Amino acid sequence: MKFLKAIRPGWGLLPVAIFLALWEIIARIDILPGNLLLPPFSEVVAEFYRLSMNGVLGENLLSSLIRVLIGFCAGSIAGVVTGTVMGWNRVADRAFNPLISLFYPIPILGWIPLLMLWIGINEMLPITLIFICSFFPVLYNTITGIKNVDKDYIRAARSLGASDMKVLTTVVIPLALPNIFTGFRLEAGMAWRVIIAAEMVAIPTGIGALLMKAESLIRIDIIIVCLIVLAIMCLISEKFFAYLENRITARWSQHAVHNP
Amino acid sequence: MPFITLKHVKNFACRSVDLEIRDKEFLVLLGPNGSGKTTLLNAIAGHVEYQGNILFDEISIDRTPASKRGVGYLFQNLALFPHLDIAANIAYSLKVKKWSQQKIRERVGELLELVNIKHLASRYPANLSGGEKQRVALARALAASPEVLLLDEPMSSLDEQTSKYLRTELKRLQRRLGVTTIYVTHDLMEAVNIADRMAIVLEGMIEQVDEPEKMLFFPCNERVSDFIGAPNILDCDYCKSTAQGLMEVGCGELKLVVPHDGDTIHKIAILPRHVHVSGDKPRGPMANSFMAKVTDIMPRNDMVRLRIEVSDKEMVAEIPYHFYEQLDLAIGKEIYVIVRARKIRVFEYKNLSADKTGVE
């Protein structure tokens, strides 16, 4: 996949390599008591391999991934649709803005107790949390993107015969895409942070649940494996949207290179 | 019969505007920044609300939305869609009108050829120069063959050379296509060079509508006269090329060098503020520098207008009041005047050299 090139580390790998070497040495010379609190990096890698091979890691990652995908897609679609309506229609903006302003500042984890009571401890709980977590930022970015489209583009499209709906779909939404994608990019990473919190609190499967089990067994190597997997998933998600954004807008950006 | 009629059009920027624009005419709305020219253009295009009536070919379009008014609009910032390539920008109105792919391709090809940008079809607006963007915007505005073309200061971001070249091309195209055109500018000489008629807009009102030469010689009131600055217009007896891009013109005993590489020059115009005055003889070659005698002194606000006699011609110079005090001028005093070549405007159209017997 081309977007994986975007995360090709290059020279950025050097500090990581130094850090891992130091970690391995410190753990091996036994500064900390035994291997209990800081297992060597090589043992973490071995555990990663073992968990991958026996399917535990894949199974839990898949559970988390499905929740993130469903919640994120639903939240993003709802955010883009609502944001487009609010950004384009002044009446809708005035009607919904006070409500949105009221709910947006609520910390995402603050919703957990309420949602546990409303929808119970089941698959819908983390999905709903991710929905909320994705909805508001995507909504705000979409509104900003739609409202920031230069009025002359809209007037130009109208003068060229376009109806309001045509102006919206062929000019306004495409020009708002960079803003919308910024919302996607930021929230794709955030969704992973939220899913872990939800799974740690209430759900028996997923990377968050695996983390909690490892904590109760004092398996720091597994905890570190889970954290590394999370870091990679956050990075891939953010880079994926950064790549998409770049692919869509690079051709018409100021610094685009012309390919005859 | 007028093609566009404005009857008592008023809104936040316009105060009861009445205007008739003839079929296939090139009318220039001329006025200072903030005078309401663009708002008037937007009212005709249907982009702003207004009271009064606008008629196209005697049919009211007051309730017609912008998308159905059938006008081509070229915005000051051109407003080319950055996410579409040049061909798609030009094809936009045709796609909206649901033309077939084949017809769209043919029409876009025609337009690209018309404005000489066939090689740019697959580029994006961000990769074009100012002049190229101008051509694309013009092609896009003309794509659906509008009956009315509105241009809002389209040359304002271009250098003088490109702007002059594109103006000539625009005029040629307008004549060829026969589209009724309204062109907004704040530059008097740009207006004079391109207009069939000019309308002076001051503080939201049309002060005068007339042919360029009539407007220059016979401003209808002091406000118009103040705005256009009543340029010095000199008839040219001969003109000859002296170097690449330079011509020497003879106006009576005056010989001036002007930057020009086009047709024969019939007249030249110099705004009073571009006639520089000095008490001392200018250093260097005396090209476009002359000895003159002050014949009248007319203070106006913070400026002073000097009527001066240069050889066998009479001209008007305008200088700031503080400079007038420094020079210690008096009627009959001899001074030097310098005219910067780049500020001299030339008239090469024959119709501008026609006699003025029709002027009331």
Side-chain angles (χ1 to χ4, degrees), chain A residues 150 152-163 166-167 170-171 174-175 251-260, chain B residues 42 45 47-48 66-68 71 73 75 77 79-83 89 92-93 95-97 122-124 126-127 140-141:
Chain A
D150 190 332
D152 275 351
Y153 291 132
I154 298 170
R155 286 179 170 178
R158 285 197 175 124
S159 277
L160 292 167
S163 63
K166 205 80 182 166
V167 174
T170 59
V171 174
L175 291 180
R251 283 181 305 176
W252 37 285
S253 74
Q254 204 51 244
H255 306 289
V257 178
H258 166 57
N259 298 313
Chain B
N42 280 329
H47 294 313
V48 291
S67 58
K68 297 203 188 313
V71 300
Y73 198 137
F75 290 81
N77 67 4
L80 292 176
F81 303 132
H83 59 296
N89 259 285
Y92 187 87
S93 59
K95 280 184 184 160
V96 164
K97 288 181 167 58
S122 60
R123 288 213 206 166
Y124 281 80
N127 300 321
R140 186 180 69 173

Side-chain angles (χ1 to χ4, degrees), chain A residues 11-76:
Chain A
W11 281 102
L13 201 62
L14 189 65
V16 179
I18 294 170
F19 169 76
L20 295 178
L22 282 175
W23 172 6
E24 183 74 21
I25 293 163
I26 290 168
R28 290 283 171 200
I29 60 176
D30 225 6
I31 294 176
L32 299 164
N35 281 351
L36 194 64
L37 293 181
L38 185 64
F41 175 64
S42 54
E43 281 183 22
V44 173
V45 173
E47 187 59 27
F48 179 85
Y49 179 74
R50 200 182 62 78
L51 289 174
S52 303
M53 287 298 107
N54 65 16
V56 172
L57 192 61
E59 203 176 289
N60 284 290
L61 180 61
L62 187 65
S63 302
S64 297
L65 184 65
I66 290 169
R67 289 168 194 147
V68 166
L69 283 178
I70 296 173
F72 178 75
C73 289
S76 296

Side-chain angles (χ1 to χ4, degrees), chain A residues 134-199:
Chain A
S134 310
F135 175 75
F136 288 106
V138 170
L139 173 81
Y140 267 98
N141 276 288
T142 306
I143 293 173
T144 308
I146 299 277
K147 282 185 177 172
N148 281 354
V149 172
D150 190 332
K151 297 285 172 285
D152 275 351
Y153 291 132
I154 298 170
R155 286 179 170 178
R158 285 197 175 124
S159 277
L160 292 167
S163 63
D164 272 10
M165 188 48 77
K166 205 80 182 166
V167 174
L168 182 67
T169 53
T170 59
V171 174
V172 176
I173 292 176
L175 291 180
L177 276 183
N179 270 77
I180 296 172
F181 269 89
T182 303
F184 287 164
R185 185 160 47 81
L186 296 176
E187 288 323 302
M190 184 56 83
W192 280 98
R193 293 168 198 126
V194 170
I195 187 79
I196 296 310
E199 288 170 350

Side-chain angles (χ1 to χ4, degrees), chain B residues 110-117 135-136 138-139 142 169 173:
Chain B
E110 252 172 55
L111 287 159
L112 287 167
E113 215 156 283
L114 185 73
V115 294
N116 287 325
I117 49 166
R135 288 158 189 267
V136 176
L138 183 61
L142 291 171
E169 267 196 283
L173 271 177

Side-chain angles (χ1 to χ4, degrees), chain B residues 48-211:
Chain B
V48 291
E49 289 182 1
Y50 58 88
Q51 292 173 312
N53 303 101
I54 298 178
L55 299 96
F56 281 7
D57 219 4
E58 301 199 323
I59 298 165
S60 171
I61 53 149
D62 300 325
R63 292 180 184 279
T64 311
S67 58
K68 297 203 188 313
R69 290 199 178 190
V71 300
Y73 198 137
L74 207 149
F75 290 81
Q76 187 170 5
N77 67 4
L78 303 179
L80 292 176
F81 303 132
H83 59 296
L84 302 179
D85 65 21
I86 300 314
N89 259 285
I90 296 172
Y92 187 87
S93 59
L94 310 177
K95 280 184 184 160
V96 164
K97 288 181 167 58
K98 296 195 166 73
W99 282 31
S100 70
Q101 285 299 321
Q102 175 64 20
K103 277 179 75 183
I104 289 176
R105 255 197 308 277
E106 284 169 15
R107 179 69 178 148
V108 169
E110 252 172 55
L111 287 159
L112 287 167
E113 215 156 283
L114 185 73
V115 294
N116 287 325
I117 49 166
K118 208 159 188 185
H119 57 294
L120 303 177
S122 60
R123 288 213 206 166
Y124 281 80
N127 300 321
L128 303 187
S129 69
E132 289 170 339
K133 284 182 191 168
Q134 208 77 30
R135 288 158 189 267
V136 176
L138 183 61
R140 186 180 69 173
L142 291 171
S145 307
E147 291 179 311
V148 178
L149 183 61
L150 308 175
L151 304 110
D152 184 10
E153 307 213 27
M155 311 291 175
S156 61
S157 59
L158 300 179
D159 61 83
E160 179 59 31
Q161 202 69 19
T162 316
S163 146
K164 191 179 161 192
Y165 177 68
L166 285 176
R167 260 200 318 264
T168 314
E169 267 196 283
L170 177 64
K171 183 77 184 178
R172 182 180 57 79
L173 271 177
Q174 189 265 343
R175 282 193 175 145
R176 184 174 147 194
L177 302 172
V179 55
T180 307
T181 303
I182 307 175
Y183 184 106
V184 160
T185 182
H186 61 267
D187 184 332
L188 171 66
M189 287 310 169
E190 187 181 350
V192 166
N193 280 328
I194 204 167
D196 291 334
R197 286 193 308 153
M198 288 164 34
I200 301 284
V201 188
L202 296 173
E203 293 172 14
M205 289 183 68
I206 301 271
E207 293 284 345
Q208 185 174 358
V209 185
D210 234 324
E211 284 155 27

